[in-house]
C-alpha cells in the first residue's frame, strides 16, 4: 500500500532560489501591505526599524602619565546599532571614530589571551566576552583594580609575568 520511493536518478533536482530572490521575498513579506508601495520606491518618509538610534553612554577611566594629571572618568556616547555586541567592539568604535587617544589592550578577540581584561561595571572580565547590556546609566569601564596603570585601560603586567616565570 505504500509506494516505493523512486531511485535517485529518477528524482528531479530541486532548484533553489538565489539569495537575492530569497531576501527580496522575505523583506516584501515582512512589510505591511500599505507600506509595500513605499518600500518599492513610493514614499521616502518611512524609515526601517534598524535606522532608529540606540545611544549608550560609556564612562571610561582616563589617565595619561605624560601629562602628570590626575586620573578621571570621561563619558562617551555611541550608537549600539552601528556597533558590535561586545564591550571590546564598543571600545574599538570609540577609539576609531570618537577619541583616537583612548588606549587599551586587545589581541585574540576570543577570550583566550586575557589581554582585554578590565573592570566593567564593578566586575572584572574580558571585554571580548562581555555583551553590552543597554542601560540608561553609563557603563563604567576601568582598568583592573589590583594592578598599576600604564595608561588609560592598560595595566602594568610586569609583576604578573614575574610571578608566572
Amino acid at each position: 500500500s505504500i509506494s516505493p520511493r523512486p531511485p535517485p536518478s529518477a528524482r528531479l533536482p530541486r532548484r533553489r532560489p538565489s539569495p537575492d530572490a530569497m531576501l527580496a521575498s522575505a523583506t516584501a513579506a515582512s512589510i505591511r501591505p500599505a507600506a509595500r508601495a513605499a518600500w518599492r520606491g513610493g514614499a521616502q518618509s518611512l524609515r526601517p526599524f534598524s535606522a532608529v538610534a540606540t545611544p549608550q553612554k560609556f564612562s571610561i577611566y582616563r589617565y595619561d602619565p605624560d601629562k602628570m594629571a590626575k586620573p578621571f572618568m570621561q563619558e562617551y556616547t555611541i550608537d549600539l546599532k552601528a556597533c558590535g555586541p561586545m564591550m571590546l567592539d564598543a571600545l574599538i568604535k570609540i577609539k576609531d571614530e570618537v577619541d583616537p587617544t583612548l588606549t587599551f589592550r586587545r589581541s585574540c578577540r576570543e577570550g583566550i589571551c586575557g589581554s582585554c581584561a578590565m573592570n566593567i561595571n564593578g566586575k572584572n572580565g574580558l571585554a571580548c566576552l562581555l555583551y553590552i547590556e543597554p542601560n540608561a546609566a553609563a557603563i563604567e569601564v576601568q582598568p583592573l583594580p589590583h594592578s598599576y596603570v600604564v595608561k588609560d585601560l592598560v595595566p602594568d603586567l610586569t609583576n604578573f609575568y614575574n610571578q608566572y616565570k
Side-chain angles (χ1 to χ4, degrees), residues 21-37 39-40 46-49:
M22 289 172 55
L23 178 64
S25 67
T27 306
S30 66
I31 297 176
R32 288 176 277 144
R36 261 192 208 130
W39 179 73
R40 290 189 176 135
L46 294 175
R47 293 178 21 174
F49 290 108

Side-chain angles (χ1 to χ4, degrees), residues 8-131:
S9 60
R11 281 189 246 148
L12 295 174
R14 286 179 61 178
R15 187 170 175 209
R16 291 186 147 188
S18 71
D20 292 334
M22 289 172 55
L23 178 64
S25 67
T27 306
S30 66
I31 297 176
R32 288 176 277 144
R36 261 192 208 130
W39 179 73
R40 290 189 176 135
Q44 298 295 326
S45 64
L46 294 175
R47 293 178 21 174
F49 290 108
S50 62
V52 177
T54 55
Q56 176 63 54
K57 292 181 182 179
F58 293 86
S59 180
I60 300 177
Y61 180 93
R62 301 301 309 268
Y63 170 67
D64 188 0
D66 297 335
K67 293 183 180 177
M68 299 299 290
K70 287 184 177 182
F72 61 96
M73 299 297 285
Q74 186 169 356
E75 199 163 281
Y76 300 96
T77 303
I78 62 168
D79 181 17
L80 293 183
K81 295 283 186 186
C83 177
M86 302 302 200
M87 284 297 303
L88 186 60
D89 297 324
L91 291 172
I92 291 170
K93 184 169 181 65
I94 291 169
K95 183 175 178 68
D96 289 347
E97 298 177 10
V98 180
D99 187 359
T101 64
L102 180 64
T103 308
F104 56 92
R105 282 196 180 116
R106 64 185 172 94
S107 185
C108 73
R109 296 183 60 103
E110 297 177 1
I112 296 171
C113 68
S115 64
C116 63
M118 54 190 70
N119 186 290
I120 300 168
N121 281 338
K123 294 182 181 178
N124 295 340
L126 300 178
C128 64
L129 294 180
L130 290 172
Y131 283 101

